[in-house]
Structure formats: structure tokens, C-alpha cells
Amino acid sequence: MDTILEVFFLPPMAIARLGSSDTPMESFTWTEDPSVFGGDMTIITPQVSLEVREDGSLCPDLPQSIRFRDGKSLRPVAPFFELWVTVQSGKDGTVKEVPLTLKLLAELGASTENIRYRITAGNRKASYRTGDPACSYTAMVEVAGQDCKRYPLLAYSRHTAGQAPLVLKDHPIPLGHFQVMRPTPETKLGVDLSQLRVRFTPAKGKVYGPPSAIAGPASGLPPGEAAAPLSEAGRVHEIVSPENRILNENTVWSKYILGREYDDALPSDSYDGANVGDNCSWGVVDDSCDAVIEAYLAIASERYVATARVLVGPPDFAPDRRPFYSIADDLANRDLDSVQVNKDTEQVTAEEIQDLFHRIYETVSLMSLDSARTRSIRENDSNDQKPTNFPGMPQIDKRSLSREDVPYVDKSPDLLISSAPQEESISVKRDRLPFKDVAHFVHTPLTDIDTLIHFFRSHQRHIERLIRPPFGHFHQLTDNPRPDVEPNPDFRDPRILRDKLYDMRMPPYMRDSDENPLSLTRRQYEELMALVKLLNEPQAK
């Protein structure tokens, strides 16, 4: 008999997306447009999708199109999680990973009655800001392996004596649903329906607040800029609909003000009530969450545990645009060794870097470089310490990305409309976003691998200075550097002021999660620079 060594979920982590429709999104994947005029740009293609019947069983289907909404209601993204096992053969001792199916359970002398599931979902954003655990809210559901009902995740605030709960148990916030799929001994459209699966469906995308969250002004200022106290900065709108004003208003979350007694999150003004009046929180939260899914399999005297995570975010309004910096890139940067770039791996590396530049182009196509540049120049100027630039580095004021920002501005000077440096973009009737248009013009050819390789061969020095280096490893950082010292050209140090200022180096004017200038991951940066260096080595005759 085979022996189970491990039980695990695939995928181990997934992203769900909020939506008010009762019908989840169909499955799709990214492909390249093969048409003559498609230019190999990224498009989405339908994939086999699983429809859940009333009894929890599944019906595979290949949709002809992808529907993102039903009327005004957006469809949620509701991921499935499959149970897999690592088994060792009782005959020859070989180890392999296989799906956990009804047949395999029977061979192991078990059934779905030997399995239990538990999901714990919670939202701790208000708790993180205030430092009060009673401002978080969680839901937990345990389900037997043969129970295929659809269970709601009703979250409320756990608290102890002396703490004021934000979400009362009598008025919980729905964080979505959890359901065990009913396995059936059949295969359709290449899908083994006897495999054990569960599904998480996220919530509707609603906001909740206390009875006082009736109406308030919207800030008319850019992010990061606050209005004077007690002023009305913009139009008055409804904060929370009447039926969702269910939260306890006698908590620290309704009294939270950034910069006062709290270790503020970054960006610090990302809550309802910021940048209006005295910046006091309106006590509002939403139904997004993070969740942990666990499966417990008991066979004979052994007990196995599988764990998966699901992250809930807003709808994706550009599903055919890929980020150049993804969760996969972040995990690879953390867990994988540096890429070995040499003549044997040159072709594979070039294809990976071309895909990176293709994703960079897709990101550029979504952002307003003009707006990001204006915000960055103002943030540089509003720094507590007077910004100091250094010779040879890109400009950090209104000269940034202008004709005075050479040699960093290489191809673009003749494309820029005005020769005079300016903080904000000067648009004309048919050129409303001049900097965005320049970025689009520059990055479009670099999606083609032959053009990209030629660019690497002919612009080595320009590429080396144009790409913003990532922050260094701990072993690279010196002890207690002065904040006004000149930066290291190979890596950045978050304690050095110039390394935290925005400039036109790639990716330009974008911020990371700590509100610092964004860079490629260390792994992406090293792979890119190694390829550029390899392509410029003298060729043997």
C-alpha cells in the first residue's frame, strides 16, 4: 500500500476579487494576440471553467467569451483549491505528487468522512492602525468533508473585558462564502471531478460604518496633501448606506487621527476621513479580507494538515495588462538563487527579460506618467530634510524628465513639447498627457525581442544608469551612514535621503509599499544587468 508523506493545496495561495454579482467569473489565461494587427500584445483567452450545481457537484464548461459583469454588478473572482498528496510507493519506494481523489482515498482505506476543513477569514486594517485588537473582525467556519453546503463567513470583533468591539456579533460583516465541492467519479473536458476541492467566494465589495457615517466631503486635493482643519475640501457624498451603518462608534477607530499617538501605516492617509477637516477617521471599514484554509486528513493513527491562503482585493479593471512586479517575482526574489547568466543560458534569459519588458510596457500603458511625475516632484520638495542632489544623478525637481535631465533623457528630448522645465505637464488639444505619450513611444519597440537585444548592445552605459537599483542586502549596508552622503550606484540604502527621492530612473516615479521609489526586484535587476553585460562582451574571432 502507498504511504502518504504530505497533504497540500494547489494553489497554495490565490487572489479573490470582490464583486456584487451572484455569478463568479469564468476562468481565463493570458496569451499573445496571433492576429496580423495584434502585435503579439497580451490578450485573455477563456479556459475550462467549473460551474457549481446546487448539490455542490461540478460541471466543467468551456465558455466562448468572458463576462465581467451582470448589468451593473461586477462578477467576483472565486478561486478553487485542490487537495494533493505526496505519496511513496509501497512497491519500489518512489515518491510522487498526485491529486487526492475518491479512488486514492479508497485505496488508503479512507473516504471524505476522514477529512475536515476550516477557514479563518479576517480584516485587521483598523486594528493595525489603532493597535487595538478589538478593531479587527474575523469569521471561522469548520466543515466536514462530506458536507457540501455553502456557508457564509460572518465576521465580528473578538474582544475581552474593557475593550469596545468594532463589529458586534449581532450585526456581523459578511466576508464571503466557503463551500466543499462534491466529488463525483467522472472526467469531463479533461477535468477529474473525483478530485477533492473547496471554493472560496469573496464578499460583495461593500463598506460599513457607525451610525454617524452619513455624509462627508471628498477631498479635492491630491493624495498626501491635507486641507486646512474644519474646511470643506470637495463635494459632499454619502459615506455609508443606511443599512450598513452597523458598527460601534465608541471605539478608537472612530477617533483615530494620523500622526497622533499611533504608529501610522504607509501611505498614512489611506482611510476614510483623511485629508478632510482634522483628519479624524469616519470609522469606516470594508468587506475585503485575508483567509487561511486548512484541511485535516486522518488515516489510521496519522493526521495530515494542508494549508492555503487567499487574499481578497478589488476588481481587476485591466485584466489583459500584466504587472511587471508580481507576487511570483517577489517570492522568486526571496526564495530562489540568483540567475546564472552565461552563453548557455543566454537565449532563455533574453526571453525572460523580453517578457519583463513586455510587462513593463503593459504597466506603462495603464499609468499617467504626467500625474505620477507631478506628485513625485512635490513629494521631493516637501521632504522634512532639504533634498540634496549629487553630480551625475538625475534631477529631482521640475527639471526631471525634461531636456535639462541629460544624459538620462536620451531618446526623448525632441519629443518633449516644451524646452522649459515645468512641474506640471503642459498639454495641448491633441496631446493631453505628453509624458505618457513619450513613455508609450519609447517602450513600444522594446516589446520586440530583436529590437530589445539591439538596444542592449548599443546602449549599455545608458541602461546601467537608467535602471534604478534595488535596496541592498543587509550585509551590503554600512553601520549608521549619514543621511546626506552620496548614494552607492549599485544599490540603495533606505537611511540615505537621496535614495528615497523620486526621479526619472526606471520604473519612473512609482512608489513601493513603504512609499519609497519603486525598483525592480533584486533578482530581476541582477538578471537584466548580467544579460546586458554578456551581450556587450567582445566576441571571439
Side-chain angles (χ1 to χ4, degrees):
M1 179 181 291
D2 292 344
T3 302
I4 291 182
L5 302 180
E6 181 187 19
V7 179
F8 59 95
F9 278 111
L10 285 181
M13 181 171 64
I15 297 176
R17 296 192 179 276
L18 301 165
S20 58
S21 172
D22 293 327
T23 304
M25 282 275 299
E26 299 97 346
S27 297
F28 63 83
T29 190
W30 285 316
T31 57
E32 291 185 352
D33 190 340
S35 65
V36 174
F37 301 103
D40 293 327
M41 291 294 104
T42 300
I43 59 174
I44 59 174
T45 302
Q47 296 291 292
V48 173
S49 302
L50 302 178
E51 179 186 349
V52 181
R53 298 190 179 103
E54 289 188 8
D55 65 350
S57 61
L58 298 173
C59 178
D61 176 60
L62 181 58
Q64 298 302 306
S65 61
I66 301 297
R67 291 161 290 183
F68 291 92
R69 63 172 66 234
D70 296 309
K72 294 183 178 181
S73 297
L74 292 168
R75 290 188 168 189
V77 173
F80 292 91
F81 296 85
E82 302 175 344
L83 268 181
W84 286 63
V85 291
T86 302
V87 295
Q88 185 173 33
S89 172
K91 296 180 180 180
D92 56 16
T94 57
V95 176
K96 59 182 178 180
E97 296 176 349
V98 295
L100 185 56
T101 61
L102 291 175
K103 180 181 178 181
L104 181 56
L105 275 176
E107 292 174 353
L108 296 170
S111 69
T112 55
E113 295 183 356
N114 293 72
I115 300 178
R116 291 193 65 84
Y117 298 94
R118 179 168 65 191
I119 180 171
T120 305
N123 184 316
R124 302 181 184 276
K125 288 181 284 189
S127 173
Y128 177 77
R129 284 187 177 271
T130 62
D132 187 345
C135 288
S136 65
Y137 42 101
T138 57
M140 185 175 69
V141 171
E142 293 193 11
V143 185
Q146 70 277 20
D147 185 352
C148 299
K149 297 178 183 177
R150 191 166 182 257
Y151 286 93
L153 299 170
L154 303 178
Y156 60 93
S157 299
R158 274 66 174 173
H159 63 286
T160 59
Q163 293 179 324
L166 178 66
V167 184
L168 303 176
K169 188 174 183 179
D170 293 341
H171 299 284
I173 292 179
L175 297 182
H177 292 82
F178 179 74
Q179 186 174 13
V180 176
M181 300 295 101
R182 186 180 303 280
T184 56
E186 55 185 332
T187 299
K188 292 182 178 180
L189 295 180
V191 180
D192 186 353
L193 300 178
S194 70
Q195 184 172 1
L196 274 58
R197 297 177 175 86
V198 297
R199 189 182 209 182
F200 171 81
T201 303
K204 301 290 187 179
K206 296 183 178 181
V207 295
Y208 299 83
S212 59
I214 300 172
S219 175
L221 299 175
E225 295 186 24
L230 305 179
S231 68
E232 291 187 3
R235 63 177 177 83
V236 175
H237 64 94
E238 183 179 64
I239 301 174
V240 175
S241 57
E243 67 274 14
N244 290 344
R245 296 171 195 159
I246 58 174
L247 304 185
N248 183 359
E249 60 185 348
N250 297 314
T251 70
V252 291
W253 180 228
S254 293
K255 304 176 181 64
Y256 172 86
I257 298 176
L258 64 89
R260 296 189 187 179
E261 304 176 9
Y262 303 106
D263 185 10
D264 298 311
L266 291 176
S268 59
D269 59 352
S270 56
Y271 65 93
D272 291 305
N275 295 344
V276 176
D278 62 355
N279 288 309
C280 185
S281 167
W282 293 338
V284 173
V285 297
D286 58 44
D287 56 8
S288 63
C289 68
D290 295 343
V292 176
I293 302 173
E294 299 164 290
Y296 302 90
L297 172 63
I299 297 180
S301 60
E302 298 293 332
R303 185 172 181 262
Y304 306 90
V305 181
T307 304
R309 291 183 178 273
V310 59
L311 317 175
V312 178
D316 187 351
F317 291 104
D320 60 344
R321 307 288 90 178
R322 301 170 299 161
F324 72 88
Y325 193 146
S326 66
I327 293 177
D329 292 316
D330 214 6
L331 293 175
N333 185 62
R334 186 191 69 175
D335 295 335
L336 300 183
D337 294 331
S338 298
V339 178
Q340 299 301 313
V341 180
N342 51 50
K343 288 295 183 182
D344 295 332
T345 63
E346 178 181 334
Q347 181 62 33
V348 174
T349 303
E351 291 174 355
E352 290 180 356
I353 296 300
Q354 186 228 0
D355 180 69
L356 171 63
F357 272 76
H358 202 147
R359 289 186 283 148
I360 290 171
Y361 164 78
E362 293 175 16
T363 301
V364 167
S365 70
L366 291 176
M367 68 177 290
S368 170
L369 184 61
D370 302 68
S371 175
R373 175 182 172 276
T374 299
R375 172 191 56 77
S376 299
I377 292 172
R378 290 176 178 173
E379 288 194 14
N380 286 347
D381 190 52
S382 65
N383 200 286
D384 291 338
Q385 297 170 284
K386 184 175 178 57
T388 301
N389 208 1
F390 295 89
M393 297 200 71
Q395 304 295 340
I396 56 176
D397 53 24
K398 63 183 180 180
R399 295 172 294 174
S400 182
L401 196 54
S402 74
R403 297 183 184 186
E404 295 190 20
D405 205 358
V406 293
Y408 292 89
V409 172
D410 179 28
K411 294 179 63 176
S412 306
D414 294 336
L415 302 175
L416 299 175
I417 293 175
S418 173
S419 60
Q422 55 204 21
E423 181 176 307
E424 297 188 19
S425 301
I426 298 177
S427 62
V428 296
K429 185 174 182 180
R430 289 185 173 85
D431 198 3
R432 308 299 286 248
L433 298 171
F435 288 104
K436 176 180 173 62
D437 290 344
V438 169
H440 189 274
F441 178 86
V442 170
H443 279 281
T444 299
L446 301 182
T447 61
D448 174 72
I449 190 167
D450 294 328
T451 305
L452 184 66
I453 295 301
H454 174 73
F455 179 67
F456 288 166
R457 292 187 188 277
S458 57
H459 292 77
Q460 179 182 5
R461 180 68 186 101
H462 184 60
I463 294 168
E464 290 172 346
R465 66 183 169 217
L466 190 62
I467 307 299
R468 179 180 294 112
F471 287 116
H473 295 292
F474 285 125
H475 68 83
Q476 295 176 297
L477 306 181
T478 59
D479 295 335
N480 304 315
R482 295 201 334 266
D484 58 345
V485 299
E486 185 171 0
N488 189 304
D490 298 322
F491 60 85
R492 291 183 295 148
D493 186 330
R495 299 166 298 176
I496 295 177
L497 177 60
R498 181 60 182 87
D499 279 339
K500 298 191 293 182
L501 297 178
Y502 296 92
D503 53 47
M504 67 159 290
R505 286 180 294 178
M506 304 293 111
Y509 312 116
M510 299 180 71
R511 58 168 54 159
D512 63 16
S513 59
D514 291 327
E515 212 171 4
N516 287 312
L518 182 66
S519 70
L520 300 177
T521 69
R522 166 62 60 178
R523 198 167 188 272
Q524 289 174 326
Y525 180 80
E526 291 177 348
E527 183 179 17
L528 170 60
M529 293 306 172
L531 177 63
V532 172
K533 181 179 179 180
L534 177 67
L535 291 172
N536 284 275
E537 289 180 351
Q539 301 295 314
K541 296 183 179 179

